[in-house]
């Protein structure tokens, strides 16, 4: 409750429009929250809010990405923009720490409103209207069955708390209604068509929060409901497991035919979230740990890649691969950052992405032994399209014959802030094995 009050009292700062103070106070919020004592079970319980290991990392990621959103959008700072970001920060904290299913559903739906305003208000092309409609109707259509399940739980058992024991059911329809909303939000292959459209039309801060946080809501919801109904996931998890394996392979090939940088990064998110879903559906400690680490690592890494694609777009006014060639002669100082984040995107050590892929591979083999062949293939294709992304942008002939480092200090700070956690989490990974 202390965090909720803290975020609420940041609202008067919106009238001063000083983004430096807002970032500073959000960083203080990260420090305060990181000092919370988190046990394996729910702790810091107050007013239907509780924190455990799953919530802890995702709430820290939420505060961190939101503060970097403010830093990435210094030029568009307005009272409406800052109020939307603060509202998103508040909603995401509630989603990741609430103990009540209906409250989770309520804020899960409410999170669409500020995101839609961000895309419509600061998006690039007129096609953003179509992308918002895609995102809105996909989410709404998928989450209404979840509301029916929540009503059924309340009428049948009189409780909506996640730690309550609901009697087992083996109905596939019930399982489908329960997970459909989160599979769309994740998104799983075949339910992912809204994601590239939303990413391409969203501004840089919209893409950051979409890739960094909104995709993680789907994984978090699956983990929560998996503990509520283990029998259903045990019986029917193989369906989503199989679709994720084939989907990750197919989407990896789709990445090679993209002509838009942001679209390719968005499709790579579908591949990584497919691997995350496979780890969750293995229903083992290692699978959950690998998925949890991948959600955190992917949230930071993909957010940075969208920032870098926006830096190119601001200079060259295009995100096309066919125009953005030979950038090593135009922005040589950004080349190292592009190379590092492309390497981390394909899971190179010593990043957290490497450890998460390794752990997920082990958990998948415990679920289905021959799946390691598919995972190796997916990892290889992931490496291929990450190298393709870097080499296509930074090699070749540029249309000018001079070298010019055209990046601001604040943009270097933004990228460095994304880079450090990917290394730092590796050094505290032993916390998860206690």
């Amino acid at each position: 409750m202390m965090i909720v009050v803290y975020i609420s009292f940041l609202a008067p700062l919106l009238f001063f429009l000083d983004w430096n103070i807002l970032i500073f106070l959000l960083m203080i919020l990260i420090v305060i929250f990181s000092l919370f004592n988190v046990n394996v079970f729910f702790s810091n319980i107050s007013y239907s809010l509780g924190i455990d290991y799953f919530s802890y990392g995702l709430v820290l990621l939420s505060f961190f990405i939101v503060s970097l959103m403010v830093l990435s959008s210094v030029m568009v700072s307005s009272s409406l923009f800052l109020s939307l970001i603060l509202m998103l920060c508040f909603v995401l904290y509630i989603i990741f720490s609430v103990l009540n299913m209906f409250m989770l559903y309520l804020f899960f739906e409410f999170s669409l409103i500020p995101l839609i305003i961000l895309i419509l208000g600061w998006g690039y092309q007129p096609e953003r209207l179509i992308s918002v409609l895609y995102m809105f109707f996909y989410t709404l259509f998928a989450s209404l069955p979840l509301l029916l399940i929540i009503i059924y739980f309340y009428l049948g058992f009189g409780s909506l708390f996640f730690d309550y024991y609901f009697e087992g059911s083996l109905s596939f329809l019930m399982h489908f209604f329960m997970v459909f909303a989160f599979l769309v939000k994740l998104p799983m292959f075949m339910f992912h068509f809204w994601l590239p459209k939303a990413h391409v039309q969203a501004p840089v801060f919209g893409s950051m929060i979409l890739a960094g946080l909104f995709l993680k809501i789907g994984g978090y919801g699956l983990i929560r409901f998996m503990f509520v109904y283990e029998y259903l996931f045990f019986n029917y998890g193989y369906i989503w497991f199989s679709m994720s394996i084939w989907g990750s392979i197919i989407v990896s090939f789709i990445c090679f035919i993209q002509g838009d940088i942001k679209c390719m990064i968005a499709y790579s998110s579908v591949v990584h979230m497919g691997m995350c879903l496979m780890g969750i559906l293995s229903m083992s400690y290692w699978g959950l740990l690998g998925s949890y680490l991948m959600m955190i690592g992917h949230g930071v890494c993909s957010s940075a890649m969208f920032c870098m694609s926006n830096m190119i777009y601001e200079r060259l006014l295009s995100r096309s691969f066919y125009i953005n060639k030979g950038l090593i002669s135009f922005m040589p100082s950004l080349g190292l950052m592009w190379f590092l984040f492309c390497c981390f995107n394909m899971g190179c050590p010593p990043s957290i992405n490497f450890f998460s892929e390794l752990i997920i591979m082990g958990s998948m083999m415990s679920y289905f032994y021959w799946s390691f062949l598919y995972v190796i293939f997916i990892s290889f294709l992931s490496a291929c399209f990450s190298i393709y992304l870097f080499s296509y942008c930074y090699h070749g002939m540029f249309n000018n014959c001079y070298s010019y480092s055209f990046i601001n200090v604040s943009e270097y700070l933004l990228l460095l802030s994304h880079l450090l956690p990917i290394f730092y989490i590796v050094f505290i990974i032993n916390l998860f094995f206690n």
Side-chain angles (χ1 to χ4, degrees):
M1 202 62 190
M2 178 178 68
I3 304 295
V4 173
V5 175
Y6 186 102
I7 297 173
S8 304
F9 274 85
L10 289 179
L13 283 175
L14 305 178
F15 300 103
F16 295 101
L17 297 181
D18 194 337
W19 58 273
N20 289 296
I21 298 175
L22 188 60
I23 293 175
F24 178 69
L25 291 174
L26 284 171
M27 289 296 179
I28 290 178
L29 182 59
I30 293 174
V31 174
I32 293 172
F33 186 79
S34 64
L35 297 176
F36 278 11
N37 180 29
V38 179
N39 302 315
V40 176
F41 198 63
F42 294 113
S43 59
N44 296 287
I45 293 179
S46 62
Y47 297 99
S48 189
L49 299 175
I51 303 294
D52 66 350
Y53 273 145
F54 297 119
S55 310
Y56 185 72
L58 293 172
V59 170
L60 282 177
L61 181 68
S62 303
F63 294 154
F64 184 67
I65 296 294
V66 165
S67 60
L68 294 182
M69 280 173 64
V70 181
L71 182 60
S72 70
S73 52
V74 178
M75 303 302 293
V76 295
S77 291
S78 65
S79 56
L80 174 61
F81 171 74
L82 293 177
S83 60
L84 288 172
I85 283 186
L86 206 59
M87 190 186 302
L88 280 170
C89 182
F90 175 78
V91 169
L92 287 164
Y93 173 71
I94 297 294
I95 288 173
F96 289 133
S97 59
V98 78
L99 303 179
N100 189 292
M101 292 182 194
F102 182 71
M103 295 290 286
L104 175 70
Y105 174 82
L106 191 68
F107 283 94
F108 175 78
E109 291 296 311
F110 181 72
S111 63
L112 271 179
I113 297 172
L115 186 62
I116 285 173
I117 297 173
L118 282 176
I119 295 176
L120 288 178
W122 286 276
Y124 298 123
Q125 281 85 22
E127 287 83 358
R128 64 181 183 269
L129 301 172
I130 301 296
S131 68
V132 161
L133 279 177
Y134 261 79
M135 184 175 66
F136 179 75
F137 282 105
Y138 259 85
T139 307
L140 194 68
F141 175 73
S143 59
L144 280 176
L146 179 63
L147 180 62
L148 297 178
I149 294 295
I150 291 173
I151 294 171
Y152 166 76
F153 281 163
Y154 185 72
L155 294 178
F157 304 101
S159 175
L160 291 177
F161 287 93
F162 285 114
D163 56 348
Y164 186 81
Y165 174 71
F166 299 93
E167 293 176 5
S169 169
L170 294 179
S171 166
F172 174 73
L173 197 62
M174 186 174 180
H175 172 68
F176 180 72
F177 282 3
M178 195 185 298
V179 301
F180 187 36
F182 302 116
L183 294 179
V184 168
K185 202 70 171 180
L186 197 61
M188 193 183 77
F189 175 67
M190 291 180 62
F191 305 132
H192 69 283
F193 299 105
W194 65 272
L195 184 68
K197 291 181 178 295
H199 269 307
V200 169
Q201 305 304 331
V204 56
F205 37 86
S207 292
M208 285 172 68
I209 200 161
L210 259 175
L213 297 172
F214 273 76
L215 305 188
K216 313 302 173 283
I217 297 175
Y220 176 79
L222 282 174
I223 292 171
R224 282 282 176 254
F225 277 89
M226 185 176 70
F227 281 104
V228 171
Y229 260 76
E230 295 169 347
Y231 291 113
L232 283 175
F233 278 83
F234 185 76
N235 280 333
Y236 301 115
Y238 68 93
I239 300 172
W240 320 120
F241 191 90
S242 307
M243 289 174 67
S244 298
I245 286 180
W246 286 110
S248 296
I249 294 172
I250 293 168
V251 174
S252 297
F253 283 113
I254 291 174
C255 286
F256 290 107
I257 60 171
Q258 296 304 315
D260 189 298
I261 296 176
K262 281 186 80 172
C263 207
M264 183 177 179
I265 301 170
Y267 274 111
S268 74
S269 296
V270 178
V271 177
H272 288 100
M273 288 297 103
M275 288 196 67
C276 181
L277 179 60
M278 288 182 254
I280 292 172
L281 292 174
S282 67
M283 295 187 68
S284 63
Y285 173 78
W286 288 97
L288 283 179
L289 175 61
S291 300
Y292 177 65
L293 294 177
M294 178 166 276
M295 284 195 283
I296 294 174
H298 174 264
V300 179
C301 186
S302 63
S303 173
M305 294 183 77
F306 281 114
C307 286
M308 291 187 295
S309 69
N310 182 70
M311 291 174 194
I312 294 175
Y313 179 74
E314 287 178 344
R315 272 75 180 181
L316 301 176
L317 301 179
S318 174
R319 292 189 306 267
S320 173
F321 278 113
Y322 313 112
I323 295 175
N324 298 322
K325 279 186 174 183
L327 292 179
I328 198 164
S329 62
F330 182 60
M331 291 185 288
S333 56
L334 193 62
L336 175 65
M337 288 295 181
W338 260 112
F339 179 73
L340 285 175
F341 282 112
C342 284
C343 286
F344 293 157
N345 191 50
M346 65 184 179
C348 282
S351 66
I352 193 69
N353 307 61
F354 168 73
F355 288 100
S356 63
E357 286 193 21
L358 208 61
I359 294 169
I360 286 175
M361 188 183 298
S363 69
M364 287 177 65
M365 287 176 64
S366 68
Y367 184 79
F368 169 50
Y369 179 73
W370 294 106
S371 64
F372 77 91
L373 296 173
Y374 298 101
V375 180
I376 291 172
F377 193 44
I378 293 167
S379 298
F380 172 72
L381 290 174
S382 177
C384 286
F385 66 68
S386 297
I387 294 171
Y388 170 78
L389 172 62
F390 174 74
S391 59
Y392 212 116
C393 289
Y394 265 80
H395 292 257
M397 290 292 292
F398 190 59
N399 55 5
N400 286 309
C401 56
Y402 62 87
S403 177
Y404 186 48
S405 183
F406 207 32
I407 306 296
N408 301 328
V409 175
S410 63
E411 290 173 330
Y412 279 125
L413 174 64
L414 177 65
L415 293 177
L416 193 64
S417 301
H418 280 100
L419 190 65
L420 290 178
I422 299 180
F423 286 113
Y424 177 68
I425 297 172
V426 174
F427 295 108
I428 61 170
I429 198 171
N430 61 329
L431 289 176
F432 302 104
F433 297 103
N434 292 331

